[in-house]
Amino acid sequence: NTELPGLLSTISKSLDSKFVHISTDAVFDGSAPLRTEKDSPSPLSVYGKSKWDGEQLVLENYPESLVARVNFFGQSNNRPSLFDFFYENLISRRSISGFTDVHFTPLFVIDLVNVIMKLLDLKTIGLVHVVGSERMSK
């Protein structure tokens, strides 16, 4: 999550190609309801810290990159996803438990791809939060 994005961004710069790094909202600690690109990250996990470190390396190595902080959902063709678990249980009317103290603004994966493609068309660079329009509890 740290070294490889840094290396790939350096290679992309040398090839004068576009580079998109997919990051995560896990760079934040969840203490504030909504975050902006100007807010300082405060990750609680090794994963969040490694993704934040990767963001920084990408932007240091190739400032013309697009770094997208995301939280997405969707079905997987290769293996069951968390979305599949909840979908199957809800369709079967089985009770499931989730979190009440964790909030996020997820985006359907197809919409995420479309937004990133639009950002590339607009020649957007730097750090961008690419999230859904609605904050919800997990």
Side-chain angles (χ1 to χ4, degrees):
N1 293 326
T2 301
E3 293 175 19
L4 186 58
L7 176 64
L8 292 174
S9 63
T10 299
I11 293 169
S12 293
K13 182 177 182 178
S14 72
L15 298 172
D16 196 31
S17 63
K18 294 179 182 179
F19 185 73
V20 178
H21 175 61
I22 303 296
S23 191
T24 176
D25 62 354
V27 301
F28 296 112
D29 61 13
S31 64
L34 296 172
R35 295 293 192 158
T36 72
E37 291 83 352
K38 293 181 182 185
D39 290 328
S40 294
S42 52
L44 297 175
S45 66
V46 171
Y47 171 73
K49 175 78 168 95
S50 69
K51 292 297 279 187
W52 183 28
D53 290 343
E55 290 177 3
Q56 293 174 73
L57 264 181
V58 166
L59 293 172
E60 286 171 18
N61 294 345
Y62 192 15
E64 292 78 23
S65 297
L66 173 61
V67 174
R69 283 189 184 146
V70 305
N71 190 316
F72 61 91
F73 67 92
Q75 291 183 290
S76 171
N77 293 330
N78 300 322
R79 61 186 171 109
S81 68
L82 184 59
F83 173 82
D84 295 323
F85 168 78
F86 281 103
Y87 180 78
E88 292 300 324
N89 279 287
L90 290 171
I91 290 298
S92 300
R93 299 184 183 270
R94 287 190 293 265
S95 177
I96 52 175
S97 297
F99 296 98
T100 58
D101 62 344
V102 177
H103 293 82
F104 68 144
T105 51
L107 188 62
F108 182 55
V109 67
I110 301 299
D111 294 332
L112 171 64
V113 170
N114 290 333
V115 170
I116 289 174
M117 296 303 292
K118 182 69 171 176
L119 290 169
L120 289 171
D121 287 344
L122 295 170
K123 300 186 184 334
T124 305
I125 61 171
L127 177 65
V128 179
H129 289 183
V130 183
V131 297
S133 60
E134 198 174 328
R135 180 176 184 255
M136 61 186 68
S137 169
K138 288 188 176 185

